[in-house]
Amino acid sequence: QVQLVESGGGMVQAGDSLRLSCAASRGTLRSYVMGWFRQAAGTEREFVAGISWSGATTYYADSVKGRFTISRDNAKNTVYLQMTSLKSEDTAVYYCAGRRIGIIRTTAATYDYWGQGTQVTVSS
């Protein structure tokens, strides 16, 4: 039912900041746990950050703790990923994903809805 679309990706230099957005073009995210995943070329899709349906609880991969912030605005039906102090290792296609109300999970297979992805490239 839910259709997701990411935006905000681009090419930046190491140390720069970028904010990604994930909006529901149809349906509502109100009751969904949301997550951000990323996939670099030739690698498996990995968990980046997750947020509970209310936004009260967040969880981050160790590689991005202190640098990335996930948030949501249910009134706007949108989830965000604020990325700071970007490094070349952050280069990947970033995807947002959703699953019905529950706890935050880090396994991609547990998410039901996915966006098309947005490319983030960080150069040194």
Side-chain angles (χ1 to χ4, degrees):
Q1 291 183 327
V2 175
Q3 186 170 317
L4 306 175
V5 57
E6 303 96 335
S7 63
M11 179 176 289
V12 298
Q13 297 186 82
D16 285 353
S17 299
L18 207 59
R19 189 178 78 158
L20 306 183
S21 298
C22 173
S25 58
R26 64 187 299 270
T28 177
L29 303 182
R30 180 65 181 86
S31 63
Y32 282 77
V33 169
M34 298 297 297
W36 284 95
F37 291 77
R38 67 187 182 188
Q39 186 168 20
T43 70
E44 296 182 356
R45 191 166 299 184
E46 66 173 348
F47 173 81
V48 176
I51 188 167
S52 63
W53 67 269
S54 68
T57 303
T58 59
Y59 186 75
Y60 299 91
D62 288 341
S63 60
V64 305
K65 285 182 180 178
R67 299 190 298 121
F68 291 9
T69 302
I70 187 171
S71 62
R72 69 191 300 163
D73 186 339
N74 287 335
K76 294 183 177 180
N77 223 15
T78 303
V79 180
Y80 306 95
L81 184 68
Q82 179 67 51
M83 305 183 292
T84 63
S85 301
L86 284 163
K87 302 181 290 186
S88 60
E89 66 188 62
D90 295 317
T91 296
V93 176
Y94 283 71
Y95 300 88
C96 66
R99 62 186 298 273
R100 272 297 201 163
I101 188 168
I103 63 172
I104 298 171
R105 296 186 180 276
T106 61
T107 303
T110 65
Y111 287 76
D112 303 306
Y113 303 99
W114 294 85
Q116 82 287 352
T118 185
Q119 177 72 47
V120 173
T121 302
V122 184
S123 62
S124 301

